[in-house]
Amino acid sequence: MEKTMTHVKEMNGLKKRLAGVWKRGRRFALHRSGCVILLVAIALFTVVFLLDWRMALEGGARLALVGISVFFLALTGYLTWWRYRRPYDPVSCALEVERKHPEFGGLLVSYVQFHDKGIAHEGASPSLVAAMLRQAEEQSHTVSFQDVVRFRVIWKLYLTVMITCMAVVIAAAMRPGFAKAFVVRLLNPFSDKQYPTRTVLDETSGDLVIQQGRSVLLRAVVSGVVPEEMAIRFPQQGGAEELIRVAKGESAGSGSWVFAHEIKDAQRDFNYMVLAGDAVSRMFHVRVVHGPVQRIEAEVIYPAYLERSPAQVSMPGFEAPMGAKIQWNLHVDRPISKGRMILDDDKSVPISLANDYLSGSVLLTPKDSFTYGLEWTDKESGFVYGPSVRYPVRMVPDQAPKIIMKPAATEEKATVWKIVDLAFTATDDYGLASARLAYKVSRAKGDPVNANEITEEILIFPKVTTQTAENLKWRVRDSIPNLAPGDVVSYSVEVLDRQPAPGGPGVGRSETRMITVVTQEEYVTLSMEKRRRLLSRIKNLHDEEIDADKAIQSFLKDAPKENGPNPESK
């Protein structure tokens, strides 16, 4: 294109006039395209203004509209100017002039073709060519090439542009606030600049960050033409929306009034927009900060005497033996700056936080059952989330062992050589330590009665024994060598657990049994009497069996035989 322009500048005479036609045509196309682009631009941005003003568009929507407008302007420029641009061609210009002035009769086209010396024309007479060139130049002096491209054909377009521009200028002069706001919002789509209104929003709650479960007050201070009620629009998912009417509240002074609406127990994020009279705010966002999602892991560290490994518990509420230590490992889903474990009676224990602010731990040695809850302080917002749930921890005291002796006579008579069967079962919730025999002797007449009780160890249980069944023998004379007839021995068996002092050990005791010491002769007599009673009882049982057998035989004899002849039928 630069070569073409340079070549055109170097031309003289007729060819220079032809180049002028080409330049004038380019100017004509440029003017026409400029007018069309300007009109399209005014139309597009008028639409953008109306949409932005009436709908209070967000920054993203305004940016999209500006982008669409620029695209259509570029398309208009391409369709009305760019695609018609052509390089300079003398033959085309000559043809265009001859279409306007047919009197040339092809002379201009021939002039252009034969003028360049670099073109050879075999068989053509040089004198004839020179005469034709002179004739073309002489005839062109009488013809004006200006009317080939006439600018006055687009005077209506010029007039339309002038009227439209004047209308825009007048409108902007009449509403300078609107014009200024539109320019600012156009150049900076994310600007908060608002259009002038008769009703003025002096103050709004704006964007808010609140704690989950708390109430939020949406407030606006309105001046100018103050309506009796204000509307708050809440867009919903799926394109729906909720509209709440708010009555005018108390005066804020200087012609301003307060409108307020409280939303209780906010649980999730939401957007809202304030509409008062002809004033419309931008879309505000309320972010509801939820409490941290927590995961509780607890470990029971048993007292040393139980000789048990620490145990993990799967529930936040659990049981633990008295004297145990409890280690809580706590995890949350977002950073926290502070944590507390709230115990009964508003007592609290600080949570030791890790460096990531996402976990912490607490170590306690409870002396009694209790409940607890967790309180967290959000690191980002500073909101404090108290315990919504309290978990019970039951501290179970180490119960005393239980012992049951096998059935036997609770009172019996025996000689000093008696060997007692000590058969019993014993259980304990955490572990048995030992068993011992407890006895005392009440002497015969003339001796002290209710002597002190004596205990002696009879068994040591292995480690971590919670249940056992034993059958021991006790030779009474070995423990009480000076027994005499008439003495009464009271005895029982005790089992002890592993609980240390001062609380332990726990002791479980069986029922008390008694042995009355008799002479050898008395024991034989008692044995014979016992034998006689047993034999009498056996005889009675035998007689009962014979009577029962006779009754059965008699019943079988009298019963009719099945499928046999009936005696009455004969």
Side-chain angles (χ1 to χ4, degrees), residues 399-410:
Q399 302 293 330
K402 296 180 180 179
I403 180 172
I404 300 175
M405 295 191 70
K406 290 186 177 179
T410 56

Side-chain angles (χ1 to χ4, degrees), residues 203-206 208 210 214-222 229-234 236 242-250 257-266 270-275 286:
E203 180 184 340
T204 60
S205 300
L208 298 173
I210 64 169
R214 299 294 180 87
S215 62
V216 55
L217 183 66
L218 304 181
R219 182 175 179 271
V221 178
V222 180
E229 65 178 12
M230 178 188 76
I232 303 179
R233 180 185 298 167
F234 297 92
Q236 306 293 327
E242 180 182 359
L243 195 67
I244 295 179
R245 301 288 180 178
V246 181
K248 182 169 65 175
E250 61 184 9
W257 295 83
V258 177
F259 294 79
H261 174 69
E262 183 180 14
I263 298 177
K264 298 182 179 180
D265 192 22
F270 63 90
N271 298 322
Y272 75 98
M273 177 187 296
V274 174
L275 301 91
V286 177

